[in-house]
Amino acid sequence: MKDRVLYIVIPCYNEEEVLQETTKQLKEKMNSLIQKKKISKDSKVMYVNDGSKDKTWELIEKIHKQDSLFTGIGLSRNRGHQNALLAGLMTAKERADVIISMDADLQDDINAIDEMLDKHQEGYDVVYGVRSARKKDSFFKRTTAEGFYKFMKVLGVDCIYNHADYRLATKRVLEELERYKEVNLFLRGMFPLIGFSSTVVYYERKERFAGESKYPLKKMLNFAWDGITSFSIKPLRFICILGFIVLFISIGIMIYSLIRHFTGNTVSGWTFLSISIWFIGGLQLTSIGIIGEYIGKVYSETKARPRFIIEKDLEETYEKVHKTK
Ligand code: UDP
Ligand code: MG
């Protein structure tokens, strides 16, 4: 079997402080993998410059000139981690058989790459890197991140617990990913949606060795919000349920108010007002909820996600055979 071509895709935003060290470590890793014949010598590391404001791009150019093991593409402006990653994946899939995505700061242990490649050899199309321990993350980051994964589960989103964007995917998986035209990207939710056989490898998440996080709280919250609203219409359904609950309560209020009314100790007009407020409130919420249900449908239609993906076909050669006849 011909050795597989591996591309490692790394989005970089203002990463001049870490790029040299990352390059050094990845060079060692890639060369040892090539030597062990685990990957072809055409394999490369692809940096994606996400419109950095510092010297990141100049550095990528320099690294590429020194060593053709490293290559790069640059976005026209900063578009955020997910878009930069997608740009890299879509470019890399044209040139490679397997693609691994990771961050520039090497927080994800590069030694897990060996195991990922072994899993690919065993026949898996997607290998998720999962953080076994987050001791090095701050208490705040750890609890909010883990809480988020649990919350996504409650909302019915198929998400791999404690998996970020450190993953291996084969060319054919990324070709299917290309069919997902949505603009609000939440890649870690899209891969489970695509399917194919997948597995996980565990690694310990390290500290960022230089520079600071490019995901400040505001970006993190935005990202979490994108994840929820791009994958779940449950919040809309929640309005409907709330409406029904309020309508139900309004029946109770009605009975209570009428009893008070007929036993006499009420101010005039109170019965009418209290019943109206609850009933109209419930009615409005239910109506908004019903509109929400339709908006939810419109929303999933506009995403135009593929309805199915065929993984295997016993007669894959059918057309070829019949055309040559
Ligand atoms: N990143 C990017 N564009 C952005 C923000 C971040 O390409 O707008 C990249 C960044 O260079 C890094 C990765 O996304 O390679 C993850 O960012 P970071 O390590 O700062 O996030 P954290 O590990 O703190 O969640
Ligand atoms: Mg990081």
Side-chain angles (χ1 to χ4, degrees):
M1 196 181 97
K2 225 175 103 251
D3 291 334
R4 57 204 150 162
V5 178
L6 166 73
Y7 262 56
I8 298 184
V9 173
I10 304 180
C12 309
Y13 178 59
N14 296 346
E15 298 285 12
E16 60 179 9
E17 284 157 299
V18 304
L19 227 45
Q20 295 281 17
E21 179 62 24
T22 303
T23 302
K24 195 177 128 232
Q25 293 195 25
L26 280 174
K27 189 172 175 168
E28 258 172 51
K29 178 85 286 133
M30 291 294 274
N31 283 333
S32 97
L33 288 169
I34 292 171
Q35 239 167 31
K36 282 190 235 159
K37 292 211 164 295
K38 278 193 158 193
I39 53 173
S40 142
K41 56 182 185 343
D42 296 326
S43 302
K44 281 184 201 297
V45 174
M46 178 187 266
Y47 292 121
V48 183
N49 178 35
D50 183 15
S52 301
K53 294 182 177 59
D54 62 1
K55 293 261 180 306
T56 300
W57 178 247
E58 284 79 357
L59 212 59
I60 295 173
E61 278 181 315
K62 198 178 114 204
I63 294 166
H64 169 69
K65 258 191 214 132
Q66 284 168 354
D67 191 342
S68 62
L69 180 64
F70 295 87
T71 181
I73 56 172
L75 302 193
S76 58
R77 53 159 292 170
N78 180 250
R79 292 308 310 266
H81 174 226
Q82 298 287 294
N83 288 313
L85 186 52
L86 184 72
L89 293 176
M90 289 303 121
T91 313
K93 81 169 172 44
E94 304 297 331
R95 309 175 189 175
D97 306 309
V98 278
I99 296 94
I100 292 178
S101 53
M102 62 188 293
D103 292 349
D105 54 9
L106 296 188
Q107 280 190 286
D108 307 320
D109 187 4
I110 60 169
N111 293 315
I113 293 177
D114 297 78
E115 208 183 323
M116 283 183 168
L117 288 170
D118 290 344
K119 295 285 182 196
H120 169 247
Q121 197 108 43
E122 284 170 32
Y124 291 102
D125 273 281
V126 185
V127 186
Y128 299 103
V130 172
R131 298 158 182 179
S132 58
R134 306 181 69 127
K135 280 179 241 140
K136 298 286 160 53
D137 275 341
S138 69
F139 174 77
F140 178 75
K141 180 128 190 170
R142 194 170 62 228
T143 36
T144 47
E146 290 185 346
F148 173 69
Y149 290 115
K150 284 179 190 150
F151 185 56
M152 289 294 271
K153 199 149 216 134
V154 173
L155 291 177
V157 184
D158 194 3
C159 231
I160 310 286
Y161 187 69
N162 259 342
H163 156 71
D165 282 306
Y166 187 25
R167 84 175 78 73
L168 173 148
T170 54
K171 185 189 179 83
R172 65 171 176 170
V173 172
L174 296 181
E175 247 144 36
E176 297 301 341
L177 178 69
E178 199 170 23
R179 293 172 59 203
Y180 288 71
K181 301 291 182 202
E182 56 207 82
V183 178
N184 296 297
L185 285 179
F186 187 70
L187 288 169
R188 60 193 74 168
M190 291 166 77
F191 280 88
L193 213 58
I194 295 171
F196 289 100
S197 57
S198 66
T199 184
V200 298
V201 303
Y202 293 94
Y203 68 93
E204 217 167 289
R205 182 158 161 95
K206 293 188 239 167
E207 241 165 315
R208 188 182 245 278
F209 67 86
E212 51 191 43
S213 175
K214 307 297 178 297
Y215 260 103
L217 185 63
K218 194 168 149 239
K219 262 196 198 171
M220 228 165 76
L221 288 176
N222 268 337
F223 183 52
W225 189 240
D226 251 358
I228 293 167
T229 51
S230 294
F231 276 83
S232 178
I233 54 166
K234 283 212 175 150
L236 288 174
R237 191 151 296 160
F238 178 70
I239 302 175
C240 217
I241 295 169
L242 200 67
F244 280 124
I245 293 172
V246 174
L247 267 187
F248 193 72
I249 293 174
S250 82
I251 298 173
I253 298 281
M254 189 165 75
I255 295 168
Y256 169 72
S257 308
L258 285 177
I259 292 173
R260 292 268 313 253
H261 179 74
F262 287 115
T263 51
N265 52 359
T266 53
V267 187
S268 107
W270 176 81
T271 317
F272 179 72
L273 271 183
S274 58
I275 293 176
S276 307
I277 288 168
W278 279 89
F279 185 72
I280 292 290
L283 206 61
Q284 280 174 335
L285 272 180
T286 315
S287 311
I288 293 171
I290 291 171
I291 294 172
E293 283 289 317
Y294 284 92
I295 291 178
K297 292 277 183 313
V298 171
Y299 151 97
S300 39
E301 292 289 345
T302 50
K303 273 190 196 294
R305 284 179 176 165
R307 280 167 288 189
F308 55 82
I309 290 167
I310 295 172
E311 184 183 351
K312 304 176 187 89
D313 179 358
L314 293 176
E315 274 189 278
E316 211 150 0
T317 50
Y318 184 89
E319 265 190 27
K320 269 188 229 152
V321 173
H322 287 259
K323 263 188 195 151
T324 50
K325 254 185 193 170

